Amino acid sequence: MYTTKKECVAMLLAGGQGSRLYALTHDMAKPAVPYGGKYRIIDFPLSNCVNSGIDTVGVLTQYQPLVLHDYIGNGQPWDLDKQYGGAHCLPPYQTALGAEWYKGTANAIYQNIAFVDRYDPEYVVILSGDHIYKMDYNKMLDFHKEKNAAATIAVLDVPKEEASRFGIMITDDNDNIVDFEEKPKNPRSTLASMGIYIFTWSKLRQYLIDNENNPDEDKDFGKAIIPNMLKAKEKMVAYTFDGYWKDVGTLDSLWEANMDLLNPNIPIDLYDPAWKMYSRNPIMPPQYIGADAVIENSMVTDGCTVNGTIDFSILFEGVTVEEGATVTDSIIMPGSVIKSGAIVEYAIVGENCTVEAGAQIGARPETVENRDDWGIAVVGHNITISENAKVLPKQIISENM
């Protein structure tokens, strides 16, 4: 049995259903949804861990975990295939007392106390698997130590009109958290919780046990653990993050986060050699761009064959766009085929779909008479859209049509 201590262990919450992504999460967990041409959402917290020097990561899975488990594997693409530590998928499991699903974020960590205890860490960082951002957790850990805190919560200063969508931290002049409000109607602060926490493990461990032993409490960090620690006057501080951060929990935010990659004014850089983004990529040949293809302001990944027109769009690996097909302001996920004469506008097309000749998916906003009727059109994974069929703006397709 190894006895080497780890100063900090990461626990990555990746079991969410992602119901607001509809057809894109019918058969995969939200953190496994493709992003940015060659990544999946979970690549961001995993890469952040590696770049921050955290080499022990528990990935807590539950809903439709197969794609995620296959993708993470032994953690090798992220240099997390360690003999001691590394990446570990942690689904709910049966004990002598029976088996049960994770009942909330706090219960998920509680069920894996034994995993954390194996490494005897001083600190634990709790992460969400469904955010797009690049962050040095070491800087946050240094802040936690400097403040001698029991808990440090990463916060983002958001516009006042958006604050009611988040858990809001109220702080004093020394960054101490004096109150916490979950999605308040009239927010007293604009410091929004990012769902990124660092705890001193000995403190958190006891609060998790106490929470589990109280049948009347929610098994959740935001609804129980954080309020309980505040009530007990534990030292809790807010760490302000000023970089790019996007919660991709809705179809619109997923589309926007992808489109942000094509906007030179948005500070999300996937090409920074000092902060590499890691992913598990299939081995594919280089993309082929035909003689008559037109491509502007787009990302086209390996294995793509493009003979049509692409503008302000992201094509994942192995996508085919035939001659005469047009893709604008859209995201085409791995392996999909857009056939001749098809038009895809303001849309997300899932993995391994076929859009037959003459089909139309989505429309430009200015072509819709009532602006409330416009939105991103979505086609789920492994779907065929038949010849000349029409998928309207806002429509979500989860079976062949």
Side-chain angles (χ1 to χ4, degrees), residues 50 71-82 87 278-280:
V50 173
Y71 186 70
I72 294 170
N74 67 350
Q76 186 271 333
W78 304 269
D79 194 27
L80 288 171
D81 53 339
K82 307 294 184 184
Y278 300 90
S279 68
R280 181 185 295 279

Side-chain angles (χ1 to χ4, degrees), residues 21-156:
L21 291 180
Y22 302 98
L24 299 179
T25 50
H26 276 179
D27 54 4
M28 68 176 67
K30 182 163 58 168
V33 170
Y35 168 82
K38 64 177 289 188
Y39 305 100
R40 293 183 187 262
I41 296 169
I42 199 169
D43 285 327
F44 284 80
L46 286 176
S47 295
N48 287 340
C49 285
V50 173
N51 288 317
S52 301
I54 298 172
D55 67 0
T56 304
V57 184
V59 183
L60 284 69
T61 61
Q62 179 161 281
Y63 171 81
Q64 293 284 15
L66 184 60
V67 173
L68 204 52
H69 285 195
D70 282 350
Y71 186 70
I72 294 170
N74 67 350
Q76 186 271 333
W78 304 269
D79 194 27
L80 288 171
D81 53 339
K82 307 294 184 184
Q83 189 172 6
Y84 181 64
H88 298 262
C89 290
L90 303 171
Y93 58 90
Q94 187 161 2
T95 68
L97 299 176
E100 58 181 20
W101 292 110
Y102 294 144
K103 294 178 288 188
T105 53
N107 175 257
I109 305 298
Y110 169 82
Q111 287 198 38
N112 289 284
I113 283 177
F115 171 82
V116 180
D117 281 346
R118 284 175 61 186
Y119 302 100
D120 192 22
E122 292 287 329
Y123 310 103
V124 172
V125 55
I126 310 293
L127 306 169
S128 295
D130 51 5
H131 299 152
I132 304 296
Y133 67 110
K134 293 162 68 176
M135 181 178 182
D136 189 343
Y137 303 135
N138 256 332
K139 290 182 179 178
M140 184 174 170
L141 181 57
D142 288 343
F143 184 81
H144 179 85
K145 294 176 188 174
E146 176 193 321
K147 296 287 187 178
N148 195 26
T152 299
I153 298 173
V155 296
L156 199 68

Side-chain angles (χ1 to χ4, degrees), residues 19-311:
S19 57
R20 290 177 299 164
L21 291 180
Y22 302 98
L24 299 179
T25 50
H26 276 179
D27 54 4
M28 68 176 67
K30 182 163 58 168
V33 170
Y35 168 82
K38 64 177 289 188
Y39 305 100
R40 293 183 187 262
I41 296 169
I42 199 169
D43 285 327
F44 284 80
L46 286 176
S47 295
N48 287 340
C49 285
V50 173
N51 288 317
S52 301
I54 298 172
D55 67 0
T56 304
V57 184
V59 183
L60 284 69
T61 61
Q62 179 161 281
Y63 171 81
Q64 293 284 15
L66 184 60
V67 173
L68 204 52
H69 285 195
D70 282 350
Y71 186 70
I72 294 170
N74 67 350
Q76 186 271 333
W78 304 269
D79 194 27
L80 288 171
D81 53 339
K82 307 294 184 184
Q83 189 172 6
Y84 181 64
H88 298 262
C89 290
L90 303 171
Y93 58 90
Q94 187 161 2
T95 68
L97 299 176
E100 58 181 20
W101 292 110
Y102 294 144
K103 294 178 288 188
T105 53
N107 175 257
I109 305 298
Y110 169 82
Q111 287 198 38
N112 289 284
I113 283 177
F115 171 82
V116 180
D117 281 346
R118 284 175 61 186
Y119 302 100
D120 192 22
E122 292 287 329
Y123 310 103
V124 172
V125 55
I126 310 293
L127 306 169
S128 295
D130 51 5
H131 299 152
I132 304 296
Y133 67 110
K134 293 162 68 176
M135 181 178 182
D136 189 343
Y137 303 135
N138 256 332
K139 290 182 179 178
M140 184 174 170
L141 181 57
D142 288 343
F143 184 81
H144 179 85
K145 294 176 188 174
E146 176 193 321
K147 296 287 187 178
N148 195 26
T152 299
I153 298 173
V155 296
L156 199 68
D157 198 356
V158 298
K160 185 88 171 177
E161 59 273 17
E162 293 181 22
S164 58
R165 293 172 39 220
F166 299 93
I168 295 296
M169 302 294 159
I170 295 94
T171 61
D172 65 17
D173 292 340
N174 295 313
D175 302 309
N176 295 305
I177 297 170
V178 296
D179 203 358
F180 168 69
E181 299 177 320
E182 183 66 42
K183 299 183 179 177
K185 287 184 179 177
N186 300 299
R188 291 184 282 149
S189 161
T190 55
L191 296 178
S193 171
M194 298 168 64
I196 300 167
Y197 315 118
I198 291 180
F199 292 96
T200 298
W201 175 236
S202 57
K203 289 278 189 182
L204 176 61
R205 192 180 190 282
Q206 190 57 52
Y207 278 94
L208 291 172
I209 292 169
D210 293 343
N211 172 248
E212 189 64 24
N213 290 334
N214 185 341
D216 298 325
E217 278 189 345
D218 284 297
K219 309 307 176 192
D220 186 84
F221 278 96
K223 294 176 182 174
I225 302 297
I226 292 170
N228 288 350
M229 293 184 81
L230 271 174
K231 198 180 301 179
K233 302 197 181 310
E234 296 284 4
K235 174 81 168 177
M236 303 180 73
V237 295
Y239 174 80
T240 303
F241 177 70
D242 61 359
Y244 179 92
W245 179 85
K246 192 89 165 181
D247 181 342
V248 286
T250 66
L251 292 168
D252 284 350
S253 63
L254 177 65
W255 181 83
E256 288 166 6
N258 277 272
M259 295 299 111
D260 283 347
L261 294 172
L262 305 176
N263 185 342
N265 299 315
I266 300 290
I268 177 75
D269 181 9
L270 301 182
Y271 304 95
D272 181 0
W275 199 269
K276 289 184 179 177
M277 286 301 307
Y278 300 90
S279 68
R280 181 185 295 279
N281 292 311
I283 298 172
M284 285 195 155
Q287 69 264 58
Y288 172 78
I289 310 300
D292 297 321
V294 177
I295 301 177
E296 293 186 43
N297 197 25
S298 297
M299 297 176 73
V300 180
T301 314
D302 288 351
C304 290
T305 299
V306 179
N307 287 293
T309 299
I310 312 293
D311 186 17

Side-chain angles (χ1 to χ4, degrees), residues 348-400:
I348 301 173
V349 176
E351 295 191 54
N352 301 312
C353 293
T354 300
V355 180
E356 296 285 2
Q360 181 165 351
I361 299 175
R364 305 194 66 77
E366 60 270 20
T367 66
V368 178
E369 191 171 324
N370 184 347
R371 187 63 174 78
D372 290 338
D373 294 335
W374 184 85
I376 302 302
V378 178
V379 177
H381 308 298
N382 306 299
I383 303 293
T384 296
I385 304 298
S386 59
E387 279 192 38
N388 302 314
K390 196 164 188 176
V391 178
L392 300 175
K394 265 191 180 175
Q395 196 170 357
I396 297 170
I397 305 299
S398 54
E399 55 186 30
N400 295 341

